[in-house]
Amino acid sequence: MSGAVTSVRSTRPPRDTHHVTPRDTLHVTPRGTTKMSRKGIFKLRSKSTISRDQAAKWENNFDALINDTKGVQLFTEFARKHHAAENIEFWLAVKEFRKKQLQGDRLNEASRKIYRTFVSLQAEKQININDVIRKDIQKNILAPTMTIFNEAQDKIYILMKTDIYPRFLRDDSYLSLTRPTSDN
């Protein structure tokens, strides 16, 4: 994590996955599928800690945005406001899942949690994937591998890049970061 992110204490009850609150706070619980830390909550000090140069890099590079701590936080907040946060949350959960290189029971548990949260037809945060991909995951969930979610993650990546990302770039929350300040 970069130095611009600090840990703070939450009075909220734990949740299964992270969410972004109106105060630019990324909430990550110890049980969450997209854990960035075991401490609970991270807070972006302020949008002003994002330099214009940093924000400008996101304009032409979706990967730079979703691989930057501040960028993914701002993007998640935007997606939440537009009822599309499940996409970035799933993408991040699978990214974290892959990093862990789990085996055995831990692999089964982690893959089932992602399945229940994002893929199942009864999922609280169901992602928009076709039935072929969903059924393939459902079939393989009984004996999962580290690649079980690859195709779904690729589809969600394309969906975010072609739908949510262009809208994010036109939104005031992003544009305000790229405009020169009048304080100069």
Side-chain angles (χ1 to χ4, degrees):
M1 293 279 148
S2 71
V5 178
T6 58
S7 178
V8 295
R9 203 179 310 175
S10 173
T11 58
R12 293 179 180 206
R15 295 197 181 189
D16 287 340
T17 57
H18 74 269
H19 67 281
V20 178
T21 66
R23 291 186 342 218
D24 297 326
T25 302
L26 181 61
H27 187 181
V28 184
T29 68
R31 298 180 312 150
T33 57
T34 55
K35 291 185 278 190
M36 295 174 75
S37 167
R38 294 192 172 275
K39 296 192 179 193
I41 296 179
F42 289 91
K43 183 177 178 187
L44 189 60
R45 286 186 185 147
S46 74
K47 291 181 184 176
S48 65
T49 63
I50 300 172
S51 71
R52 263 189 279 151
D53 290 341
Q54 183 179 13
K57 289 177 187 173
W58 304 338
E59 184 174 6
N60 297 310
N61 190 337
F62 181 61
D63 288 328
L65 172 69
I66 62 174
N67 287 301
D68 180 288
T69 303
K70 296 172 189 174
V72 79
Q73 182 176 340
L74 196 62
F75 186 71
T76 302
E77 179 183 347
F78 174 82
R80 184 161 319 288
K81 289 177 187 174
H82 292 85
H83 309 288
E86 69 280 357
N87 296 310
I88 188 67
E89 289 176 8
F90 169 77
W91 190 88
L92 291 168
V94 173
K95 180 180 175 183
E96 189 68 24
F97 172 79
R98 284 185 184 156
K99 278 185 194 176
K100 292 180 180 178
Q101 294 295 311
L102 302 171
Q103 296 177 353
D105 289 342
R106 294 185 73 201
L107 172 63
N108 290 338
E109 184 182 319
S111 59
R112 284 188 178 97
K113 183 167 183 87
I114 292 172
Y115 176 79
R116 284 191 314 269
T117 305
F118 300 105
V119 180
S120 165
L121 291 174
Q122 294 79 33
E124 178 185 331
K125 298 178 178 187
Q126 188 182 93
I127 54 171
N128 185 10
I129 54 174
N130 64 45
D131 281 340
V132 173
I133 296 171
R134 190 177 314 280
K135 287 178 182 176
D136 190 43
I137 294 171
Q138 186 176 12
K139 178 181 78 177
N140 292 314
I141 199 71
L142 297 175
T145 65
M146 291 302 297
T147 60
I148 189 170
F149 299 110
N150 285 5
E151 191 173 2
Q153 189 185 37
D154 291 345
K155 293 293 183 191
I156 293 301
Y157 174 90
I158 292 167
L159 178 66
M160 290 189 304
K161 187 174 182 177
T162 59
D163 180 39
I164 305 163
Y165 175 60
R167 289 187 284 152
F168 170 77
L169 294 176
R170 293 187 302 266
D171 189 73
D172 284 340
S173 64
Y174 171 74
L175 292 173
S176 66
L177 297 171
T178 60
R179 292 185 191 124
T181 60
S182 59
D183 296 347
N184 296 338

